[in-house]
Every structure is written in structure tokens, then in C-alpha cells.
Amino acid sequence: MIDLPDAAHPVTRRTALAGGLAAAALAAYPMSAEATALPTGVAPHTSGRPPKGVDHATLMTWARDTWTSLVAMTDPRTGLVSDNITGDLAAPGVYTSPTNIGGYLWSAVVARDLRIITPAEASRRIGQTLETLQGMQHHTASGMYYNWYDPRDASVIYDWPDNGDPVVPFVSSVDAAWLGAALLVVRNSDRRNAKVAGAMFKRMRFDVFADPTFSKPYLNYGGFYLEEPTRLNAPPPTIARDLIGAGEPVWYTADHHYDTAVSETRITTYLAIAKQQVPASTYYQTWRTFPPEWDWQELIPEGKTRTYLGVDVYEGAYHYYDRWTVPGWGGSMFEELMPDVFVPEADWAPRSWGRNHPNHVAVQRQHGLDEYGYWGFSPASHPLGGYSEWGVDALGLKPDGYFSDIEHTDHDRNDTGKAFGNGVVTPHASFLAMMHAPREAFDNLVNIRSDFDAYGPGGFYDAIATQTGDVARRHLSLDQAMIMGALGNVMTRDNLRRYFSAGEVKRYVRPVIAPEIFGPGD
């Protein structure tokens, strides 16, 4: 049985993520024994030659403006960043999530390393945010935070600000992981805040999401509610369980596990393995592709079965634009590359991620250039209002997309002559791609800025319709934080990856992912 997200569930694969300084900063802390045993104080690379064909001054302008948007989104009383802001930087939203907060933390580290702000300002900002986090309500048994807070006072949201719909506190396995990733980055890069960030990371129990009874053991639930969510307008199916011996159950998303390898959610598994909270073999339980006999797929995979850590894995891949690529759920750059902002996957696993990342980027690029003249597709705002999941349909396991155009043109392997319509490109996708195709991604962004009203005081707007020129003139803090993270790697010789992956991540995750071979070849 395919474990797909329930259509009625209010927290989807992506809305769980994006939607979705007046207080005294923390005093300087001495290093803890645990932190000093790990690589706190990893020296930042603050300069370096830009990749060939990429203009360093232009990247710096984009980085400064993107950071400006994040500052504008951040409440000066709490240090909590909003989920979004209007393109003129005048009206931030009134809700935030753990992912948004984590994105602000790692963006502050990048802004410091790029010398946009001083080390003192970066530490002050990070310290204020951590101080606020320490006082916020959360699930104490696991150390995990709820999905929605008001950034103005750090209170839990129980009624949705836009429409008054009821909200039941929910802990998302993906949101929790992005905050955890940010805490690990801070622990390993900011001596002043290392002790607090390290303590918060240490208490996080990622096994609270891991289902040992699932058909593929220890895959993650979408998350859990603190109470049975009967107050919701459309309550999803839930199951009450106590997976970590907390003494009381929580209500898990009964019909929603994350079960694909090419997914933003692999960061949760990486962290759980790094903390030795789940078996290392958990990494190999997710689908690379579905079996070829499931012939309802838009593309039929080819591959072979290989065994890693006692788990038989069908190493399938889709053949599209003359490349073998392991698909994600929807075919978006976000699924493919956001974990790669933190984990040097291509270096550690050259025969799997080292192949897939450049192939995914190349296929997105060719699809976009052929159909629209521009490329880069990832969940983001809709140019006509709201939010949508953009991707290259043929790179997704999901039968009906993510789509690359407003018309939702569906890829059909039996009808290759379909005409695509009003394509939607999302600049943060090109910034992610810059980690693997720097010149091509840079040129694409230059063209988008030149040909559309795509840029404002906070950097690139969130999404652009290439046929009509409609632009979503707002910024999502997660998308801006992805831009900062990618630039932090491109411009400083992988600082963010170095901060995150040193210590326990390198020790426990690298040997797990290194042996894998994606696709039908050797």
C-alpha cells in the first residue's frame, strides 16, 4: 500500500514548512564539554574565489538584499522571524514556524560570514532568538516545538490569524528537523551561543517521529498533535501512541508517513541517525522509485535491487531528457537540494547524490529552457495569489505533479507533444541549483531579473509567471533562508555544510550514505 498524505490533512508536505531587538541578548557562555569535543569554533571561510562565470559583486548584492528582507520580517521584541512579508517590506505576517526560526538562525551565520553584519551583531541576534525559544511552550518530552507561533509575543496560535479557523498544536517532523539543523549550525559556529544551542539540540528526540511498526520500520510520521484534533474543521485520522516512553500519548498522523528518499524530510532521518536515535538502516527504508510493475507511474523506472545494511533497495531511476534521475515526490528543487545545503551529500555519496543532484538540476534546466526560456521550479507563492507546489512533473512520483505551469500541464509518457503554458519559476530554486551548476544558475537569475519586474528591496520576489509576467511580490522567510544558505556555501567554500556536518553527523551519517549506488548502472 502506498502511504500518501491524506487529502484532508491540514499540514501537507510543504505547508508544514512555509505555510508555510530590544530584549537583552544572552551573555557570553563558556564552551560545554560536549561542545568542545565536537567542532564548535570551526573556522569560517570568509572569502574565496567565486565560481567561474559568476560575478561576486552581484552575488553580494543579492545576499545583502535577501538578508534585508529577513531583518524586516523579524520582530525586534522577540527575535522571531515571520513566515512572510510583502515585497515592499512593509507588512510581515503574524505567524511563524520552527522552520522559519531555524532559517533566520542559519541566515544570521551566513550574513556574518559574508561580512554583511558583524560577528557581534550576528551573536546578538542569534542570542535573542534562542532566549525567546527557551521561554516558548513546546513538547517538553521530545524537546520539539509546535508548528505555529505568533512572532510578536512568541505565543502559541490556537486560531488561524487569516480566518479564525481553529488550530490544534501540532509538532511537524520536518519543521522540527530544520530548527534542529539550525541549532547544530549555531552550536558549531557561534562560540557565544554554543552552549545554549547545543543544550537545545541535545534534548531533541527525533525518534519521537519514527514509527517502528510501519511496514518500512522507523520511517517518520508527518508529525503529532498534542491532543486529539477533534477541534479542527476537518480532523485527520490520528492514532494515540507514546513512542519515547514519555508517560502520555500524543496523536500521530495515522495515514501520513514520509517514505521517499528524494525529499526534504531526509534531514529528519539524518539527524536521528546522527544522534543514534534510530537504526542506521532507516535511511534505506524509503522508496527510491516505486517498483516498475506499478505501471500507473508517469515514467516507468529501470534499476536493480541492491542490499545495504541488510535492507534490499530497488535502485530505480526515471529516464528523462537523456538522464537517469531518482525522482522526488513532486519533482521540485526543494526536495532534491535543501538537505544538501547542510550535508555534503555529493561528496559523501558520489555514486548516489553525486549523480542525482547535477542530473536533477540539468533536467530542470533543460525542461525550463525548452518550454519557457527560464528554469527553476520549487514550491513557492502563486503569481496570481496564494501558494502552490511547483516542480517538474516528470521528476515526481506523485501521479499528478507538482506542475511547472499555471495550467497544470500533466506529463504523459504516451503523449510527448503536450504544449506547456504559463510557466512559473521560483528564484530560490536557482540559488539551490547554484551549488551544482553555478554559472548556469547565475545566468538564469540575471535573465529573470532583467526580463521581469522580479526584484525589490528584499531581493528576488518569490515567483514569476514567465508568459504573462505576473509576479508574486512577496517573500517567504523559508525561501529567503534557502537563498542565504545556498549562497553561504557558494561564496564561502561550503561554510554551512562544514558547520552542520562536522562531529556526529560526519561520524554517523557519512558511512551510512557513502556506499549507495543510484539507478540501473554501477
Side-chain angles (χ1 to χ4, degrees), residues 15-32:
T15 55
L17 293 168
L21 291 172
L26 293 174
Y29 286 96
M31 299 302 301
S32 67

Side-chain angles (χ1 to χ4, degrees), residues 18 80 118 179 194 204 434 501:
L80 298 184
T118 66
L179 178 57
M204 297 180 92
M434 199 178 291
S501 63

Side-chain angles (χ1 to χ4, degrees), residues 341-361:
V341 172
F342 298 92
V343 180
E345 294 174 313
D347 290 340
W348 287 2
R351 294 181 294 175
S352 54
W353 299 113
R355 296 172 177 175
N356 219 60
H357 291 332
N359 281 358
H360 182 102
V361 169

Side-chain angles (χ1 to χ4, degrees), residues 65-93:
D65 292 343
T66 302
W67 173 247
T68 295
S69 75
L70 288 163
V71 171
M73 280 186 255
T74 302
D75 191 283
R77 297 160 295 186
T78 64
L80 298 184
V81 66
S82 174
D83 177 85
N84 61 80
I85 196 169
T86 52
D88 60 3
L89 307 186

